[in-house]
Amino acid sequence: MRGFRWPPPPDGGPRTWGPGPGAPRTGRPALPEPETELVATPHGVRLERLVTGAGDPVTVFAHGLGNGIATTRPFGSGVTGRRIFFQFRGHGRSDSPPGPWTYLDLARDLRAIADLGGAGRAFGASLGAGALCRLLAESPDRFDRLVFFLPAVLDTPRGEVARSRLTGLLDAVADGDASALADVVALELPPSVRNTPAGWAYLRQRLDQLLRDGLAPGLASLPEQAPLRDAGALAAVTAPALVIGCAGDDLHPVAVAERLAAALPQATLHVYDRPGVLWTERADLRERISTFLNG
């Protein structure tokens, strides 16, 4: 991050009120990331994995584009049993086979990690929600409980605003441009958080990870794709599902969450009234997910 043109203030940020109840307020550096492992899969792609907790049930967590284990772990903080976090191909230390890739490739990654760990429940965020939909279209009875957090796309490609944002992220990572990358990542934060110690700490952690690990070129075609040709392919999924959306989220239109919930026979839809729920509704979100998955 030596080329970063606008570093945080020496004390981590201005002394303002933080992002809201239940969200982190500290500007201190994040704790060291836990040690992960690389696991071989039947389709020949080694994937980075972290396993926490013990016993049953076993839940697998699938992250969004440009995110990874660190950003999905908070979703499992109240979930009982064993929790399996991993990095899709092209993220972190996972392999990057020649691209371009499709949602079918991501579904294979997710299936392999779930099968190797004996996971009976699944959580998918954004890109991970799309991969989960693709897996379920082929194996509707694979999981007995499902959570979809901010699904971004279902059977039509993302809109222009979302494609532009994601392309900007991939380009900034490829160029190693910390300042441009910070501009893109800052959009993940609610405006009230962007100039706080917690916001600076989040930016530091995300930039350190993205500039260290990079993002593979094979990811570039994914924003133009959809996981399904027809949402009707999910009609055979009988597992209880929780679909979580947010109004006003350009990357994750609430209409996608509504259509996904309508396509799943046993789905419950919850829509927050504003984006940035990891900051503004953190406690409620964790309780909602854990209550559903622990049921």
Side-chain angles (χ1 to χ4, degrees):
M1 291 183 53
R2 284 174 291 182
F4 192 35
R5 293 203 309 266
W6 45 287
D11 63 351
R15 298 186 183 280
T16 61
W17 292 105
R25 294 175 184 268
T26 178
R28 293 175 303 212
L31 294 174
E33 296 177 7
E35 186 174 349
T36 59
E37 59 182 341
L38 282 176
V39 296
T41 65
H43 57 291
V45 179
R46 296 180 308 158
L47 299 173
E48 186 176 7
R49 180 180 71 177
L50 172 69
V51 180
T52 65
D56 294 322
V58 182
T59 308
V60 62
F61 292 79
H63 63 83
L65 180 62
N67 287 280
I69 292 171
T71 51
T72 48
R73 285 189 69 197
F75 297 110
S77 60
V79 177
T80 57
R82 192 149 44 97
R83 300 173 294 275
I84 303 175
F85 306 91
F86 75 102
Q87 312 262 58
F88 280 116
R89 62 184 62 203
H91 293 78
R93 296 195 295 136
S94 293
D95 285 349
S96 299
W101 305 324
T102 66
Y103 277 93
L104 178 59
D105 294 313
L106 302 181
R108 286 173 177 156
D109 291 350
L110 174 55
R111 182 192 296 273
I113 291 295
D115 288 351
L116 289 169
R121 301 181 176 191
F123 169 99
S126 192
L127 180 80
L132 182 54
C133 286
R134 187 68 179 84
L135 189 162
L136 292 169
E138 297 193 359
S139 302
D141 58 351
R142 174 59 186 82
F143 298 103
D144 54 40
R145 277 193 181 265
L146 304 159
V147 176
F148 300 85
F149 177 67
L150 301 185
V153 63
L154 188 57
D155 53 6
T156 56
R158 295 177 188 249
E160 180 57 35
V161 173
R163 290 202 302 270
S164 177
R165 281 264 302 272
L166 294 171
T167 299
L169 174 68
L170 292 167
D171 289 346
V173 172
D175 294 341
D177 187 338
S179 183
L181 182 58
D183 288 339
V184 177
V185 173
L187 296 175
E188 300 173 6
L189 299 168
S192 61
V193 178
R194 291 176 191 169
N195 201 30
T196 66
W200 283 112
Y202 177 84
L203 274 176
R204 281 199 204 94
Q205 182 181 32
R206 289 280 282 133
L207 264 66
D208 284 346
Q209 181 265 314
L210 287 167
L211 293 175
R212 180 191 69 218
D213 298 332
L215 293 170
L219 297 167
S221 64
L222 287 171
E224 301 176 358
Q225 300 180 41
L228 303 177
R229 292 183 179 178
D230 182 357
L234 300 176
V237 179
T238 58
L242 173 63
V243 181
I244 301 174
C246 287
D249 189 324
D250 292 336
L251 287 185
H252 312 95
V254 70
V256 176
E258 293 170 343
R259 294 189 62 242
L260 175 56
L264 293 164
Q266 300 296 325
T268 298
L269 173 66
H270 181 78
V271 177
Y272 288 98
D273 61 5
R274 54 178 174 169
V277 294
L278 274 172
W279 299 87
T280 61
E281 301 286 352
R282 193 181 188 91
D284 181 83
L285 179 63
R286 284 178 168 174
E287 182 179 3
R288 192 173 299 277
I289 291 171
S290 61
T291 298
F292 178 82
L293 286 175
N294 295 342

